Amino acid sequence: MDPRPTVQEPQAELPVILPKAPLSAAVPSQRHTSPLAGKHVLVVGINYAPEPTGIAPYTTGMADHLAIGARSVTVLTGMPHYPNWQLDPQYRFRLRSREVARQTGDAFDGVAGLGQHDGLTIRRLRHYVPGRQTALRRAGYELTFLLNCLTTGIEQRPDVVVAVTPALGGAVAAAQMAQRTGAKLIVVVQDLMAKAASQSGIAGGGKVAQATAAVERYALRRADLVAVVSDSFRSQLHAYGVPDERIRLLPNWTHIHASGLSKPDARAALGWPQQQFTVVHTGNIGLKQDLGNLVEAARICARRDAGVRFVIVGDGSQREAIRAQAHGLENLDFIGPLDGVRYPQSLAAADLLVVNERPGVGDMSLPSKLTSYLTAGRAVLAAVGPEGATATELRRTNGAAHLVAPGDPAALAASVLALRAAPGQCLEMGLLGRKYAEANLGREAAAARLDALIEECTER
């Protein structure tokens, strides 16, 4: 591979911003025992820090951990744009940029801390950012990232290429780069893109699902190993022709620490009312989340119980539409994305944490917020399909979550009011969630699984 950049790039190297509690903090002693010792790694994924939510914290933490043991890690990623689907003004006029993570020790302050490892280089590539989600616009988003990946020169020939989906364009580029260089290829599947096209409600998605499946099949069948964050993805991979012996489970880990504040103290820190029963939804406000269902549940609760307050924390392509639907509702508040300190406080301030999905969403993805919700130690109410990935994962918590049918605001409101009347049950659910998170979602376990995945792939 030509080590020279294919276009002129800025010479200044910028410090990269990483999220709180990266995966690398779990195993600081792996530098001398890593299966990547002396090897170069290329990570390809469109979402990366400083994006505060979604897939970015996991891709960032994974790259940070790989940098502990590898000779070098290069990340090909997009310009920050998620969850509001607007290009970060700092990157507005850049075609490409180069950032180097600088060693600063183990201290991290939310999304404002600096990376702690030498040898971690982030190459940001310009791509189209659709303000409104349609199948055609999404195709432009994928294609522009793919083309920029393929035309970007990499300084070090990689020994291992790790692709993260979405974006699908990044996985295709990673497959091409691995083939050209003879590198091992691992694809980490956070979302199934063909399923997303047909299930998420994007305009025209159903028509392009077949083409998306063909591209997704191409990338996944070329991987030496495919890692999935949920076992519910396996059946689709089998349908693509990926044999089970090449599929590994790599669950997401919790990338936040519980705030440590009591509910009253967390509400005081945020300036929230103390007496109301508070229902909180966090994360992306998009088509898949179908938060109009939550708005109508809040409307029902407003008529039945004045002591219930709903809070939607985050941003996304549907935020303004949802705000318009909620016009006049005094028991529903919208709050923008919070930093690494205030976000855990918002979870601690809740009586009930909500996951809401569009009817028909099944095994296409697993909400990244689940790890944070369970770590916070608060009861979870999930309006999701009974056979989907989210329901499957929450059943494993043995009682931390209550499931209700999606797209039914009356049922959602009834569950909210029933749990308000059962504070002891809410407390028990929260304790079960935290117990499950401590046993299954720790960074130590995730780091060990990632190391084992890398070792197996490099030895194949």
Side-chain angles (χ1 to χ4, degrees), residues 189-268:
V189 180
Q190 293 278 357
D191 286 354
L192 287 166
M193 297 306 296
K195 292 275 190 177
S198 62
Q199 295 179 5
S200 64
I202 294 177
K207 296 180 180 179
V208 302
Q210 186 172 358
T212 303
V215 177
E216 192 166 41
R217 182 186 302 111
Y218 167 86
L220 295 177
R221 290 183 64 171
R222 277 155 180 77
D224 293 280
L225 289 175
V226 178
V228 294
V229 298
S230 171
D231 264 328
S232 63
F233 295 176
R234 283 182 184 266
S235 61
Q236 183 59 49
L237 267 62
H238 294 160
Y240 283 156
V242 180
D244 201 60
E245 57 266 24
R246 284 200 275 133
I247 303 173
R248 300 293 179 270
L249 181 63
L250 187 68
N252 286 330
W253 64 95
T254 178
H255 59 89
I256 70 163
H257 291 296
S259 73
L261 296 179
S262 66
K263 193 181 303 177
D265 288 344
R267 292 183 181 183

Side-chain angles (χ1 to χ4, degrees), residues 1-4 42 152-158 177-178 180-181:
M1 181 179 293
D2 185 355
R4 295 169 297 177
L42 176 64
T152 297
I154 306 300
E155 288 83 353
Q156 299 290 346
R157 181 182 295 271
M177 292 175 180
R180 286 205 311 261
T181 61

Side-chain angles (χ1 to χ4, degrees), residues 273-287:
Q274 288 287 351
Q275 300 305 318
Q276 293 174 308
F277 185 83
T278 302
V279 182
V280 176
H281 179 282
T282 73
N284 187 37
I285 305 174
L287 291 169

